[in-house]
Amino acid sequence: MKETPLSNCERRFLLHAIEEKKRLDGRQTYDYRNIKITFGTDYGCCIVELGKTRVLGQVSCELVSPKLNRATEGILFFNLELSQMAAPAFEPGRQSDLLVKLNRLLERCLRNSKCIDTESLCVVAGEKVWQIRVDLHLLNHDGNIIDAASIAAIVALCHFRRPDVSVQGDEVTLYTPEERDPVPLSIHHMPICVSFAFFQQGTYLLVDPNEREERVMDGLLVIAMNKHREICTIQSSGGIMLLKDQVLRCSKIAGVKVLEITELIQKALENDQKVRKEGGKFGFAESIASQRITAFKMEKAPIDTSDVEEKAEEIIAEAEPPSEVVSKPVLWTPGTAQIGEGIENSWGDLEDSEKEEDDEGGSDEAIILDSIKMDTGEVSNVGSQDAPIVLSDSEEEEMIILEPDKNPKKIR
Amino acid sequence: MEGALRANAKMSTESGVESSPRGPGCSLRHFACEQNLLSRPDGSASFLQGDTSVLAGVYGPAEVKISKEIFNKATLEVILRPKIGLPGVAEKSRERLIRNTCEAVVLGALHPRTSITVVLQVISDAGSLLACCLNAACMALVDAGVPMRALFCGVTCALDSEGTLVLDPTAKQEKEARAVLTFALDSVERKLLMSTTKGLYSDAEV
């Protein structure tokens, strides 16, 4: 679907409001929207909501052989997908530019910053290493995808637990989650992206732009930082020219924001861990509000199926019996079986078939294949019989035998 | 007529078992549903069955590509995305089943030359995924205001080796079962809209 274009008056209104330091949702220039983090029942699954922008993150792992030039390091794979439900304009062929840009930024932020210790993912040097795969799905696009995606990625990685492995000499034992508790990944630091949108050639800036603001912005500056104030990635796009002190100021703001966000993430992870340990209920089911008109919950419901048998018998008695499907598969050789022999070849009797077209019109029961006459010939007799063969050792008692002069079905 | 009666028989017997007593497995897991959670799609719903959770978003009726337009009804498209990895053949076949079910209930004739897109995202999979997808799709279509002839719901049942029937199986029960059957039923006449089965089972069990 095509993106609905932004009207000129809306654009003017937004820019005017920004010049007066006002935002449509009432935030201040440096304010972030509400961040909400919920976890699923499997480890490594989380949904992050940044205002209305929603991203689903899932981490999974697999044992593979390592890359040839990095034999002792594990493999990290990141994939951000813009789901078609996130915005009507996201169609499979149409989003390549934005998708590539986001994926590249995410990779630089997480892979090049070495936040995950890849050496610890090695099981047997040169033979088996863990491949950690992070899949992110954008579910709703309301601006600032990169921030939400980076938070989702790092939260999912921190939440994830991989199966425990032990190596004794040449033997490698992989324990299932039931045998031994899964082990968390070793994460050095948590890089988080902070986006700054610039308007009017860099005069005005906004933190965490929402979708409307993104549409009217001139350029975007993304700074990925961790809580130790180390910059992991910095990227400026849109072709705006920024002054040195503007960039420095942005990095200071980013430092403050990242600290807040990291605290929030830590609290969410701790909460989830506590709930899991105490055996309480966790998962997405708990995050659905109970007193909302648009939500509905129902507890485990036993179904009373005791009287179904009588009802079923009644209905079966009333219904006509299904026509017999006589199919005895004939095994020619191992791997080749044949059910039936298809319809009799009627190329020879064209004059007859035209005559019988009138009788054919009336009978419409042969829609389903059941009533095709089944010539299940013996292994030695292949095809070209006119009369149907009744197998003497057939297990089917009632076999509907059709007369040879009536073609049950026309060849389409 | 005959087909409809047979469908009725099928539908009623799907929750019956030959003669063995009802086991304790005949209960649905805790389920929950929330509508209108996403701001961009016209309709959205999240459906949870136990630990299985599916999020559905519906766009429509909206503009359709000329190559895909149908002159007298709406073009229905279903997209199912798995959580991990790229969508494969299994997703395509599930999309087809869901699309066939939706096409049977959505009144496409009221919106010709438009497209109705249902996007499903698997949030977590712990058994009876197809039924959960069907339910989420139905709730999302309702939330979007797409005219429908009836509501529909999906139910999965698993038959294990002894012949006991379990409704709404978990992933473990599905793996150990000898047959897994999923049905879609409509709400008005309780007729069967779609059925898909996997495994070994006899006619009577169905």
Side-chain angles (χ1 to χ4, degrees), chain A residues 161-308:
Chain A
R161 304 275 181 273
R162 63 165 174 82
D164 197 5
V165 186
S166 74
V167 186
Q168 275 138 339
D170 275 338
E171 243 185 63
V172 178
T173 334
L174 179 67
Y175 297 104
T176 62
E178 287 91 32
E179 291 170 13
R180 267 211 212 168
D181 274 342
V183 158
L185 298 174
S186 90
I187 297 178
H188 296 309
H189 60 95
M190 300 210 272
I192 310 245
C193 292
V194 178
S195 306
F196 299 88
F198 286 94
F199 304 85
Q200 310 287 42
Q201 318 311 322
T203 330
Y204 303 99
L205 92 84
L206 288 180
V207 175
D208 186 19
N210 71 14
E211 203 251 335
R212 295 282 127 167
E213 290 161 357
E214 269 188 359
R215 293 245 219 149
V216 300
M217 71 182 175
D218 283 337
L220 185 72
L221 175 71
V222 180
I223 302 183
M225 222 192 237
N226 62 23
K227 70 175 183 199
H228 309 294
R229 305 187 54 96
E230 300 168 325
I231 292 185
C232 308
T233 296
I234 188 164
Q235 168 166 312
S236 159
S237 55
I240 37 150
M241 279 168 300
L242 295 171
L243 298 169
K244 186 177 65 175
D245 52 309
Q246 272 179 316
V247 179
L248 278 174
R249 198 158 36 105
C250 289
S251 64
K252 287 206 185 85
I253 301 169
V256 172
K257 293 294 162 196
V258 165
L259 259 169
E260 290 171 13
I261 298 177
T262 314
E263 255 180 54
L264 187 83
I265 296 178
Q266 296 282 32
K267 237 193 312 186
L269 284 166
E270 271 168 27
N271 265 346
D272 181 72
Q273 189 140 355
K274 202 167 53 158
V275 171
R276 273 177 206 257
K277 214 187 295 195
E278 290 168 4
K281 290 202 240 166
F282 52 87
F284 292 126
E286 293 314 302
S287 55
I288 291 197
S290 13
Q291 299 299 335
R292 228 188 262 180
I293 202 168
T294 51
F296 179 71
K297 274 193 199 182
M298 203 166 104
E299 291 308 320
K300 224 167 134 99
I303 307 260
D304 181 20
T305 49
S306 44
D307 64 340
V308 175

Side-chain angles (χ1 to χ4, degrees), chain A residues 132-170:
Chain A
I132 304 287
R133 192 199 160 99
V134 183
D135 283 287
L136 299 159
H137 299 271
L138 180 69
L139 302 173
N140 196 37
H141 177 27
D142 199 33
N144 207 1
I145 304 174
I146 188 64
D147 284 18
S150 77
I151 298 176
I154 203 66
V155 166
L157 283 165
C158 291
H159 190 244
F160 181 62
R161 304 275 181 273
R162 63 165 174 82
D164 197 5
V165 186
S166 74
V167 186
Q168 275 138 339
D170 275 338

Side-chain angles (χ1 to χ4, degrees), chain A residues 1-4 41-42 45 47 52 54 56-60 79 81-89 91-92 94 133 135 137 139-142 211-212 215 281-282 284-289 292 294-306 308-309 311-313 315-316 318-323 365 368 370, chain B residues 1-2 5-6 8-22 26-41 44 46-48 50-53 55-60 62-65 77 79 81-87 115 117 119-126 143 165 167 203:
Chain A
M1 256 166 275
K2 279 200 279 252
E3 182 83 62
T4 36
T41 39
D42 348 325
C45 179
I47 290 190
K52 296 203 198 133
R54 209 184 270 239
L56 163 75
Q58 173 71 55
V59 178
S60 51
N79 182 34
E81 257 186 45
L82 301 174
S83 167
Q84 266 180 268
M85 72 168 92
E91 263 169 27
R94 289 252 207 97
R133 192 199 160 99
D135 283 287
H137 299 271
L139 302 173
N140 196 37
H141 177 27
D142 199 33
E211 203 251 335
R212 295 282 127 167
R215 293 245 219 149
K281 290 202 240 166
F282 52 87
F284 292 126
E286 293 314 302
S287 55
I288 291 197
R292 228 188 262 180
T294 51
F296 179 71
K297 274 193 199 182
M298 203 166 104
E299 291 308 320
K300 224 167 134 99
I303 307 260
D304 181 20
T305 49
S306 44
V308 175
E309 271 191 47
K311 260 203 275 184
E313 277 167 18
I315 297 186
I316 293 183
E318 288 172 33
E320 292 160 33
S323 39
E365 9 147 289
I368 313 163
D370 317 326
Chain B
M1 195 54 216
E2 184 194 321
L5 278 173
R6 211 178 305 153
N8 257 328
K10 272 207 194 131
M11 182 238 75
S12 303
T13 49
E14 54 98 349
S15 40
V17 162
E18 297 106 8
S19 52
S20 48
R22 228 33 76 276
C26 266
S27 64
L28 295 179
R29 292 180 283 183
H30 152 94
F31 70 82
C33 168
E34 188 175 354
Q35 288 183 312
N36 208 11
L37 2 143
L38 305 176
S39 66
R40 296 304 291 274
S44 56
S46 162
F47 204 89
L48 284 83
D51 284 337
T52 307
S53 163
L55 180 64
V58 170
Y59 282 105
E63 199 186 316
V64 67
K65 271 205 267 242
E77 211 179 295
I79 298 162
R81 282 279 133 83
K83 200 165 45 158
I84 301 175
L86 295 165
S115 87
T117 313
V119 187
L120 295 153
Q121 172 69 51
V122 177
I123 308 259
S124 66
D125 181 6
D143 190 43
L165 187 91
L167 286 182
D203 242 355

Side-chain angles (χ1 to χ4, degrees), chain B residues 84-170:
Chain B
I84 301 175
L86 295 165
V89 180
E91 276 72 44
K92 276 269 169 304
S93 79
R94 288 205 185 108
E95 283 174 12
R96 189 150 212 274
L97 293 166
I98 300 172
R99 196 182 76 226
N100 287 346
T101 317
C102 293
E103 274 178 358
V105 281
V106 165
L107 296 169
L110 290 178
H111 296 283
R113 291 201 192 84
T114 61
S115 87
I116 301 178
T117 313
V118 181
V119 187
L120 295 153
Q121 172 69 51
V122 177
I123 308 259
S124 66
D125 181 6
S128 40
L129 182 66
L130 186 56
C132 199
C133 291
L134 283 164
N135 294 330
C138 176
M139 304 289 348
L141 284 165
V142 165
D143 190 43
V146 171
M148 300 205 287
R149 174 179 313 126
L151 297 179
F152 59 91
C153 73
V155 180
T156 310
C157 31
L159 284 165
D160 66 7
S161 38
E162 289 121 34
T164 27
L165 187 91
V166 178
L167 286 182
D168 196 18
T170 62

Side-chain angles (χ1 to χ4, degrees), chain A residues 59-87:
Chain A
V59 178
S60 51
C61 66
E62 202 188 334
L63 274 176
V64 297
S65 3
K67 294 205 178 118
L68 292 170
N69 52 347
R70 298 248 190 270
T72 53
E73 282 183 20
I75 302 176
L76 284 173
F77 183 72
F78 300 99
N79 182 34
L80 169 67
E81 257 186 45
L82 301 174
S83 167
Q84 266 180 268
M85 72 168 92

